[in-house]
Every structure is written in C-alpha cells, then in structure tokens.
C-alpha cells in the first residue's frame, strides 16, 4: 500500500464556483511515484512531472494530487470530500499495486482551451444555450459548468462535422460528453 491515510486540513471557498468549497487534505505518505501510472490509466489527466502534480477531472470536478497533499475543487460539502478522498485512496493504491503491468506515462497532456472549443462551435451567437455568445459558452464548457447538449444548433445536422470533432476532443480530454450524435 502506498497511501495509508489522509486528513482534511483546510476547507476554503472554491475559486471556480463561489457556491462550492475547495478542500485540502494532507496525505500520510509521499504519493508522486504513482502519478505516471495514473497518467497512463486515466483519461484527461494533466500531469506536470517537474512540479510533481497530477490533476484528475471527474464529473465536472478537479482533483489535484501533490507530493504531500490533495486539493479538491467544486465540492458540495465535507461528506462529498470524504467520499472522493476514499475513492482517490483506493485508486492510488490499486494502481500502485498493478504498476508492474502498466507502462508509465510521463508526458504532459495539453490542457483543453476555451478557444479550441470555440472554434468547433457553430459560431452563430444565437443565445439558444442561454449564453450571450459562443465564446462565453466555450469558457463555461471548458470549466465543465455547462452541458454540451445546451448547444442545440451543434446537434442540428448542419454542424455535424464540428460536432463529431468537438465530442472527440472532449472525450480525449476526459470530459463527459453526451451520447446524442447525429447520424448522416
Ligand atoms: S447555442 Fe451554440 S451556437 Fe448558439 S450561442 Fe450557444 S454555443 Fe453558440
């Protein structure tokens, strides 16, 4: 076992969403050894090998693993934080146990940018999604604060090419995407 225990040390307002909290938990053991193996098995991680940090996206939330602590963002309350920390502890230990069967990945995944998403949206600024413009929608989508399904025109058939590339991009980056896709 690599990680034996963790303890929540601080609870702060979430920078990304003022209605949620940010939780910092200290870990009992140094965990960076497992980062390249987690980076190999999980989709959409952001691994910074020199800084020894690994950010995991899950269900619109961000979990950043450091050498001596874990930061959780966009968290509802401490109960949710405890559940996520338990999940992370199990994930870390299970991956560490299987490390002999995993090819470590030391590469840094490029972070998905709002501009990359914007280029694949219809670009009509029609406001059907509730946002003032496609760029505002892209900013929310990259922060996982809005569902891609809210952009109805993207699924209208007219923008099928963009839709397929965008869904692929989101999936590759570890974002949850809809199963709704237009068939030719
Ligand atoms: S619904 Fe789609 S096309 Fe219309 S403004 Fe929103 S993101 Fe742009």
């Amino acid at each position: 076992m690599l990680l034996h225990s963790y303890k929540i040390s601080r609870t702060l307002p979430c920078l990304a969403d003022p209605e949620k909290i940010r939780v910092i938990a200290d870990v009992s053991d140094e965990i960076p050894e497992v980062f390249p193996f987690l980076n190999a098995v999980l989709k959409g991680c952001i691994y910074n090998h020199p800084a020894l940090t690994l950010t995991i996206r899950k269900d619109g939330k961000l979990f950043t693993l450091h050498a001596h602590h874990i930061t959780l963002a966009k968290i509802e309350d401490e109960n949710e934080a405890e559940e996520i920390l338990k999940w992370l502890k199990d994930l870390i230990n299970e991956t560490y146990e299987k490390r002999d069967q995993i090819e470590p990945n030391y590469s840094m995944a490029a972070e998905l940018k709002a501009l990359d998403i914007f280029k694949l949206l219809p670009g009509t600024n029609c406001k059907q999604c509730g946002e003032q413009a496609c760029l505002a929608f892209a900013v929310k989508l990259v922060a996982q604060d809005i569902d891609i399904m809210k952009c109805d025109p993207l699924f209208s058939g007219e923008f099928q090419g963009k839709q397929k590339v965008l869904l692929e991009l989101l999936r590759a980056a570890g974002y949850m995407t809809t199963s709704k896709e237009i068939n030719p």
Side-chain angles (χ1 to χ4, degrees), residues 25-90:
D26 295 332
V27 293
S28 59
D29 309 88
E30 290 204 5
I31 53 174
E33 192 182 338
V34 79
F35 293 175
F37 299 101
L38 288 171
N39 193 33
V41 297
L42 296 175
K43 269 190 173 181
C45 288
I46 302 166
Y47 182 39
N48 188 333
H49 184 55
L52 292 180
T53 64
L54 180 87
T55 299
I56 299 170
R57 291 193 190 96
K58 187 169 186 284
D59 302 337
K61 301 175 195 303
L62 294 174
F63 316 141
T64 302
L65 314 186
H66 303 256
H68 302 284
H69 69 276
I70 297 172
T71 305
L72 311 177
K74 297 191 182 181
I75 303 301
E76 298 288 343
D77 52 35
E78 280 207 22
N79 287 340
E80 186 186 32
E82 288 288 355
E83 276 176 31
I84 292 167
L85 287 165
K86 184 185 178 313
W87 175 78
L88 282 170
K89 177 173 177 265
D90 291 346

Side-chain angles (χ1 to χ4, degrees), residues 112 116-117 120 164-175:
L112 199 53
D116 298 330
I117 290 176
L120 292 166
K164 282 190 180 300
V165 176
L166 179 51
L167 289 177
E168 200 47 53
L169 188 73
L170 291 170
R171 283 198 195 101
Y175 285 63

Side-chain angles (χ1 to χ4, degrees), residues 121-129 131 133-134 137 150-153:
L121 291 171
T124 58
N125 299 324
C126 69
K127 302 187 175 74
Q128 286 183 52
C129 57
E131 299 302 318
C134 294
F137 182 87
K150 295 261 183 186
C151 178
D152 271 342

